[in-house]
Amino acid sequence: MTDRWARAEERYRQREADRRYRRDDRAWGGQNSRDTRGKADNRVVGREQDDWDDYEDDTTVIPRYTDDMDPPEPAPRPSAERRAGQRTRAGRREAARRDDEPAQGRRPRSAQRGKRSRAASRKAQERKRRRRTLWLFAGVFVLLFAGAAVFAGMKLIAKLGPPEDYAGPPGPLVVVQVHDGDTSTQIAASMKEKDVVKSTGAFIEAAVRNSNMNAVQPGYYAIPSRSPAAQAVSALVGKKARVGNLVIPEGRLLHDQFEVGSGRRTDGIYRMMADASCIGTGPNQKCVTYEQLAAAGASVDLAALGVPAWAAQGVQDCPDRTRQLEGLIAAGTWDFDPSGTPEQMLRQLVTASAKSYESTGLLQSGGETKLTPYQTLIAASLVEREAKPQDMSKVARVIVNRLRVPQMLQFDSTVNYALDRTEVQTTDADRAAETPWNTYAKIGLPATPIAAPSLNALRAMENPEPGSWLYFVTVDKQGTTLFTDDYKQHQRYIQQAQASGILDSGR
């Protein structure tokens, strides 16, 4: 086998040598040359064919064989000249193929040049459009930048210069609200919104220079509109600017009351509101009247008056519309906007009072007393009118015990409520008169509260002091009140009160 491979390799080397160094016999001339060339060619061709045939016959089916003693040498790669010739021939074939393409459907070169010309024109137009778009965007950007620069410059100039301010003279009064916890900046914003000052900056600068600004309280203030900032601050801290501020004493009624004998008037809540609603002085003063408030309080539109849901049914069932809001405006210090309508003023106070009542736990009370929130408010008004603060929880227990028996409450305060003239000691005729409030003539609670109860009275009614008391009476002018569950003992306490003169009538 080794000899066969050696012979095949020898023939390959000989053929390569003949191909590289083959002599051209034509260069020698003559017939001999042609004969010799022909013979040589035939010999070479024939030998090539014979050699390759012999080589292929010997090797095509020979499996891979390795002789450890004499390994075969690898066949040499084609020379660089041969590879160059192969590439040259391939190039000529490709050129011939391109020359034949027009017959096979390829466009002529003139058509290709026209197509490239049109494509170049389109690209040029596209570049021109892009340049125009870029210039347009650049112009818009320049305009925006210039506008922003001008705006920033104006703002800077405004900041560097003094804030805008009114020069005067001031205009009509307007009402401005100062909320609890407001800062000077927030007050300045309210002033500007109401057109009291030209700018918040001017007000703040004036406020910083006025030390009395620290004493401004929450509430409503009547300040002249279009005022110079310094004047607006001075008006705000002045004593006459506060409006709509109301202090309601404990046990006060909606309407005025007059004492028997002296005829002294005790202002009701409606009159107190009318006095607190005045804005301005002299002929330009504007106030809501007592009669306007009383008429507004009798409205059947309970929602417009701010009546809470837990009191709506009791107010709707009130036999006297002029008294339907009794007890729903609580004792205490209140602020309302006097520039509003009478209905709006009442709504503010009723809404604020309802929140105050509910803060005591009114809506959750009644588990032990078995009273609704509105009934608890009615009973609290009785406690307010009948007891001193130290005795309120005991009086509340008397009310609960009598309602459970049931037994008439027989409170003189309920008799006086429906009278034009009042006194501590009522007459037999007064006590016999049947009214929706007279607890000498009916069992149970009055139809509505009979006064504005304090929060202390309300808490006492929500949590009465434990006890079995059914009676109580004040026995002296110092307010000493004695309690008992024995009627005979109660009669002796009444005699003691008469002896002290506390039960004397002015009639």
Side-chain angles (χ1 to χ4, degrees):
M1 182 63 69
T2 302
D3 294 337
R4 183 182 296 177
W5 277 107
R7 290 194 303 272
E9 190 173 341
E10 179 62 25
R11 286 193 296 271
Y12 174 80
R13 289 195 186 99
Q14 183 63 42
R15 186 181 67 253
E16 287 297 315
D18 293 342
R19 184 183 302 151
R20 292 183 185 178
Y21 306 108
R22 185 172 52 194
R23 186 178 63 180
D24 189 357
D25 293 336
R26 288 176 298 179
W28 296 94
Q31 182 66 32
N32 294 334
S33 299
R34 286 191 298 269
D35 295 341
T36 305
R37 183 193 63 185
K39 293 177 181 178
D41 288 346
N42 291 336
R43 182 178 52 80
V44 171
V45 172
R47 191 178 62 182
E48 255 181 57
Q49 183 174 1
D50 294 341
D51 290 346
W52 278 107
D53 289 344
D54 181 60
Y55 178 78
E56 290 179 354
D57 291 340
D58 293 339
T59 60
T60 51
V61 295
I62 298 174
R64 182 178 179 181
Y65 176 81
T66 302
D67 192 342
D68 295 336
M69 298 301 294
D70 188 13
E73 294 182 5
R77 296 179 59 184
S79 64
E81 292 83 352
R82 183 180 181 184
R83 291 196 298 270
Q86 291 174 350
R87 286 195 296 270
T88 301
R89 288 192 297 274
R92 287 195 296 269
R93 286 195 297 269
E94 177 63 22
R97 184 185 62 79
R98 286 199 300 268
D99 291 340
D100 293 340
E101 279 186 359
Q104 299 174 0
R106 186 170 62 87
R107 294 193 180 198
R109 292 185 178 181
S110 59
Q112 292 179 354
R113 284 195 297 270
K115 183 177 180 181
R116 285 196 296 271
S117 177
R118 289 193 297 272
S121 177
R122 285 196 297 272
K123 290 181 180 180
Q125 292 176 359
E126 182 65 25
R127 286 194 297 272
K128 188 175 181 180
R129 284 196 296 270
R130 284 200 296 268
R131 283 195 297 270
R132 285 200 300 267
T133 303
L134 290 175
W135 278 110
L136 178 61
F137 277 114
V140 172
F141 177 77
V142 170
L143 289 176
L144 291 177
F145 181 79
V150 171
F151 179 77
M154 293 176 63
K155 295 290 287 185
L156 180 61
I157 293 173
K159 287 182 178 180
L160 295 177
E164 293 182 308
D165 198 1
Y166 285 120
L173 292 173
V174 295
V175 176
V176 179
Q177 183 180 9
V178 175
H179 300 86
D180 188 19
D182 272 0
T183 63
S184 295
T185 302
Q186 291 169 320
I187 296 175
S190 299
M191 291 285 187
K192 186 177 184 304
E193 182 181 358
K194 293 286 187 175
D195 197 28
V196 173
V197 294
K198 187 69 175 291
S199 66
T200 57
F203 181 87
I204 292 173
E205 286 187 0
V208 170
R209 293 191 294 266
N210 195 318
S211 59
N212 293 326
M213 275 294 296
N214 295 327
V216 175
Q217 299 295 315
Y220 294 90
Y221 295 83
I223 311 293
S225 60
R226 300 188 296 278
S227 297
Q231 294 183 20
V233 173
S234 298
L236 179 63
V237 300
K239 296 181 180 180
K240 297 181 179 180
R242 186 82 177 267
V243 293
N245 182 244
L246 178 64
V247 179
I248 301 176
E250 298 164 346
R252 195 59 59 98
L253 279 63
L254 286 175
H255 299 277
D256 298 340
Q257 282 188 314
F258 299 88
E259 289 184 358
V260 171
S262 67
R264 185 174 66 87
R265 185 184 74 187
T266 302
D267 291 345
I269 293 174
Y270 286 154
R271 190 170 299 280
M272 297 172 66
M273 287 183 64
D275 294 341
S277 70
C278 295
I279 300 175
T281 58
N284 296 324
Q285 187 181 63
K286 295 180 180 180
C287 306
V288 66
T289 65
Y290 171 91
E291 291 75 17
Q292 288 174 326
L293 288 167
S299 172
V300 296
D301 189 354
L302 303 185
L305 296 175
V307 175
W310 50 265
Q313 188 60 51
V315 173
Q316 186 175 348
D317 294 340
C318 179
D320 184 353
R321 287 287 161 218
T322 63
R323 300 175 185 268
Q324 66 180 0
L325 294 184
E326 194 74 80
L328 291 179
I329 299 178
T333 301
W334 305 105
D335 289 292
F336 65 91
D337 186 356
S339 63
T341 65
E343 288 82 3
Q344 291 172 338
M345 298 179 195
L346 291 173
R347 179 184 178 86
Q348 277 188 280
L349 295 182
V350 171
T351 301
S353 298
K355 291 181 179 179
S356 178
Y357 288 150
E358 292 166 7
S359 68
T360 66
L362 174 65
L363 301 183
Q364 292 75 37
S365 66
E368 195 272 332
T369 63
K370 307 303 180 184
L371 300 177
T372 67
Y374 188 64
Q375 289 173 334
T376 301
L377 184 64
I378 295 174
S381 71
L382 301 182
V383 172
E384 187 65 52
R385 296 288 289 178
E386 290 284 342
K388 299 293 183 180
Q390 65 272 18
D391 297 321
M392 284 183 172
S393 61
K394 288 184 178 181
V395 173
R397 175 54 63 184
V398 170
I399 294 173
V400 172
N401 289 343
R402 286 200 178 191
L403 292 175
R404 285 176 177 174
V405 172
Q407 180 180 340
M408 288 183 179
L409 296 178
Q410 295 181 330
F411 288 171
D412 288 305
S413 57
T414 64
V415 177
N416 281 320
Y417 178 75
L419 299 177
D420 293 333
R421 308 274 174 171
T422 64
E423 61 178 345
V424 176
Q425 178 63 37
T426 58
T427 66
D428 293 340
D430 293 336
R431 292 191 293 271
E434 293 186 5
T435 71
W437 296 272
N438 184 2
T439 56
Y440 279 93
K442 66 186 294 279
I443 295 176
L445 294 168
T448 67
I450 62 172
S454 64
L455 294 183
N456 287 335
L458 190 62
R459 292 188 183 98
M461 196 64 237
E462 292 168 356
N463 300 284
E465 185 174 335
S468 58
W469 309 293
L470 290 171
Y471 309 98
F472 67 93
V473 62
T474 302
V475 297
D476 55 32
K477 294 181 180 180
Q478 288 72 39
T480 303
T481 303
L482 301 177
F483 295 83
T484 182
D485 58 358
D486 186 334
Y487 182 71
K488 292 182 179 180
Q489 182 63 44
H490 177 58
Q491 291 298 317
R492 289 191 288 270
Y493 290 157
I494 291 177
Q495 292 174 1
Q496 183 178 344
Q498 290 172 341
S500 69
I502 192 174
L503 295 180
D504 291 343
S505 174
R507 282 177 284 190

